[in-house]
Amino acid sequence: MITAAELEERILTSPFHRWLGLRVVSVSPEELRLSATWREEWENGTTARVTHGGILAALLDLAADWALVASQGTPAPTIDFTTHFLRAAAPGDLLVVARPVKLGRSLTVAEAEVLDGAGKQVAVGRGTYASFAPSTTTEGPRS
């Protein structure tokens, strides 16, 4: 089982993830919790100063993928991801909670939710990811 510190170190190798201010709050094979530190650049350009939907979608997808790392040990490329925006996210740090739904040999499904500082859902998403199960064949390479 990967620890929160080990997973955070892996996550923060990405400059984008560092820019998002990601921190691992907790991790288990069943659930990953990340915090994301709000920054002015997240604003969507309106007078309401709400967080841009692209930031929310990115948080959902990357948390779901890293939840799979916690469960399976390796990242899984996103094949498809659906996002539902439920309410505006006012300026403030966010919590992202992700869970594997189905761990498969070739396809895996995970879901995530973004919560604001009051604990209200602002967005939810579910994705399909490519899994790379070890080969079960014993034959060598074909020539």
Side-chain angles (χ1 to χ4, degrees):
M1 168 66 196
I2 192 166
T3 68
E6 291 167 336
L7 186 62
E8 185 172 300
E9 182 179 352
R10 287 181 67 183
I11 289 171
L12 295 180
T13 61
S14 164
F16 181 57
H17 297 164
R18 288 193 306 272
W19 181 80
L20 288 170
L22 295 180
R23 294 289 179 246
V24 175
V25 175
S26 64
V27 62
S28 73
E30 295 81 31
E31 182 180 89
L32 171 63
R33 289 178 171 259
L34 298 174
S35 65
T37 305
W38 191 85
R39 45 188 310 138
E40 187 176 318
E41 295 90 345
W42 290 8
E43 288 184 27
N44 70 351
T46 64
T47 57
R49 300 184 63 217
V50 298
T51 301
H52 190 283
I55 295 293
L56 299 175
L59 290 171
L60 291 166
D61 181 33
L62 70 86
D65 192 24
W66 284 101
L68 297 176
V69 172
S71 294
Q72 299 181 157
T74 59
T78 306
I79 293 174
D80 179 63
F81 198 89
T82 301
T83 301
H84 297 278
F85 302 103
L86 306 176
R87 66 175 40 87
D93 295 351
L94 300 170
L95 178 67
V96 191
V97 182
R99 297 170 196 88
V101 174
K102 166 89 169 74
L103 302 175
R105 288 176 27 122
S106 59
L107 294 177
T108 301
V109 176
E111 61 188 12
E113 61 182 334
V114 177
L115 307 171
D116 65 13
K120 293 183 178 179
Q121 281 185 331
V122 296
V124 296
R126 180 176 276 207
T128 304
Y129 299 83
S131 300
F132 299 106
S135 173
T136 57
T137 62
T138 55
E139 33 178 284
R142 295 182 182 211
S143 34

